[in-house]
């Protein structure tokens, strides 16, 4: 779930959102939290919906906030529906991988519940999706390799979207900590799916592994904070690029996701 991206967008339409969330009890925020990923997924909707409800109180969500959350909800609908359809398609996912995809499904469904809980009657209806990507992936629900490739595309994109917004949560440490807890689970999803496809858990250069190049654009950087790491480390370009994940902007994420909305 792109929780950091959501909160950054909330800040863009309500500059006081972090001040509002700062008054939410940290104890209440974490009282429902558990270390296991499945429990995190189950607790997140209740905890975050309560936090935002308390933050805005009786005044309700501003129109701009509603627009942001509904945009995020549309993306979460896409991911949840992808895993629902995949795990319920007979013969698609080999038995040895079924539990992996069922667990990811639970997480994405929890994200949808979170946003719908916050939005209430203002939540948008789930749109129609085209998981073939406008015909680019015609065998998505008949060929496991195609399905796993799309799963990797969604998960790698989500991880980079999180990274792109981490700095915007520094003014709200409690929310940042929650977001990083979820982010680490999303990164595990990405690494696990990449591994079952026969790829490294990390990205070398901008290797797209057969997926649309936009998903991996910019991953070939070797310069961090103005330091050319190939020079100071003596390591290869490949090793340096594998050591860092680069962020994706909201516009980049939207451009990728829109290919799968009919």
């Amino acid at each position: 779930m792109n929780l950091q991206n959501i909160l950054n967008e909330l800040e863009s339409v309500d500059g006081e959102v972090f001040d509002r969330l700062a008054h939410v009890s940290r104890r209440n925020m974490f009282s429902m939290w558990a270390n296991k990923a499945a429990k995190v997924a189950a607790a997140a909707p209740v905890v975050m919906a309560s936090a935002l409800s308390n933050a805005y109180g009786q005044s309700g969500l501003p129109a701009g906030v509603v627009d942001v959350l509904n945009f995020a909800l549309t993306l979460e609908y896409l991911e949840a529906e992808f895993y629902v359809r995949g795990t319920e398609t007979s013969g698609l996912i080999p038995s040895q991988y079924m539990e992996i995809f069922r667990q990811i499904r639970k997480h994405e469904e929890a994200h949808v519940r979170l946003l719908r809980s916050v939005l209430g009657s203002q939540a948008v209806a789930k749109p129609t999706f085209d998981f073939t990507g406008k015909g680019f992936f015609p065998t998505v629900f008949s060929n496991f390799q195609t399905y796993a490739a799309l799963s990797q595309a969604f998960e790698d994109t989500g991880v980079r979207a999180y990274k792109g917004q981490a700095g915007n949560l520094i003014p709200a440490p409690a929310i940042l900590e929650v977001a990083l807890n979820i982010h680490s689970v999303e990164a595990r999803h990405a690494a696990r799916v990449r591994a079952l496809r026969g790829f490294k858990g990390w990205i070398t250069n901008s290797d797209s592994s057969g997926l649309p190049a936009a998903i991996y654009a910019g991953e070939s950087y070797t310069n961090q904070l103005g330091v050319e790491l190939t020079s100071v480390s003596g390591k290869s370009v490949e090793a340096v690029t594998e050591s860092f994940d680069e962020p994706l902007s909201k516009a980049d994420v939207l451009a990728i996701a829109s290919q799968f909305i009919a």
Side-chain angles (χ1 to χ4, degrees):
M1 172 190 176
N2 298 334
L3 179 59
Q4 294 167 325
N5 199 27
I6 292 170
L7 288 174
N8 179 56
E9 292 303 313
L10 289 179
E11 186 184 29
S12 72
V13 296
D14 179 3
E16 298 179 355
V17 64
F18 289 119
D19 290 335
R20 299 175 191 276
L21 290 172
H23 291 87
V24 176
S25 167
R26 180 183 177 87
R27 177 177 298 178
N28 289 339
M29 177 68 72
F30 288 99
S31 64
M32 298 181 63
W33 225 253
N35 291 327
K36 298 298 183 180
K39 292 182 179 179
V40 169
V46 178
V47 174
M48 286 304 299
S50 176
L52 286 174
S53 295
N54 290 339
Y56 287 101
Q58 295 183 348
S59 61
L61 297 174
V65 172
V66 171
D67 289 341
V68 168
L69 293 182
N70 271 321
F71 170 75
L73 177 58
T74 300
L75 299 181
E76 295 297 345
Y77 276 142
L78 182 150
E79 291 185 317
E81 179 67 16
F82 176 76
Y83 290 111
V84 167
R85 290 182 60 180
T87 55
E88 294 183 356
T89 299
S90 178
L92 174 62
I93 301 175
S95 58
Q96 66 266 38
Y97 300 134
M98 181 59 80
E99 187 54 34
I100 294 172
F101 289 99
R102 283 176 176 164
Q103 192 64 57
I104 297 175
R105 168 183 171 174
K106 291 177 184 178
H107 298 168
E108 303 303 345
E109 288 179 319
H111 304 160
V112 170
R113 291 197 302 273
L114 161 64
L115 292 169
R116 287 185 59 86
S117 295
V118 173
L119 287 162
S121 62
Q122 295 176 288
V124 295
K126 182 167 66 175
T128 301
F129 298 113
D130 175 11
F131 289 110
T132 71
K134 306 297 189 290
F136 195 82
F137 300 97
T139 60
V140 57
F141 293 120
S142 61
N143 182 289
F144 176 67
Q145 294 304 320
T146 305
Y147 181 78
L150 264 187
S151 175
Q152 177 184 318
F154 292 147
E155 298 299 334
D156 278 344
T157 298
V159 171
R160 296 186 69 189
Y162 257 111
K163 182 174 287 292
Q165 304 303 326
N168 295 302
L169 286 178
I170 292 175
I175 303 299
L176 176 60
E177 187 170 347
V178 173
L180 291 178
N181 285 342
I182 300 174
H183 176 235
S184 64
V185 174
E186 295 290 345
R188 292 174 192 272
H189 291 173
R192 188 65 185 90
V193 173
R194 291 176 65 86
L196 69 82
R197 292 192 66 222
F199 294 100
K200 296 178 181 178
W202 46 86
I203 301 166
T204 304
N205 291 318
S206 291
D207 179 20
S208 66
S209 56
L211 294 168
I215 296 172
Y216 300 96
E219 287 285 13
S220 58
Y221 298 152
T222 59
N223 190 295
Q224 301 288 334
L225 293 176
V227 178
E228 179 48 54
L229 293 176
T230 55
S231 298
V232 301
S233 68
K235 302 297 182 181
S236 67
V237 169
E238 290 75 15
V240 172
T241 61
E242 290 174 348
S243 300
F244 299 88
D245 280 332
E246 303 298 337
L248 279 177
S249 69
K250 178 190 173 185
D252 290 334
V253 174
L254 179 59
I256 294 168
S258 64
Q259 300 174 57
F260 301 95
I261 299 177

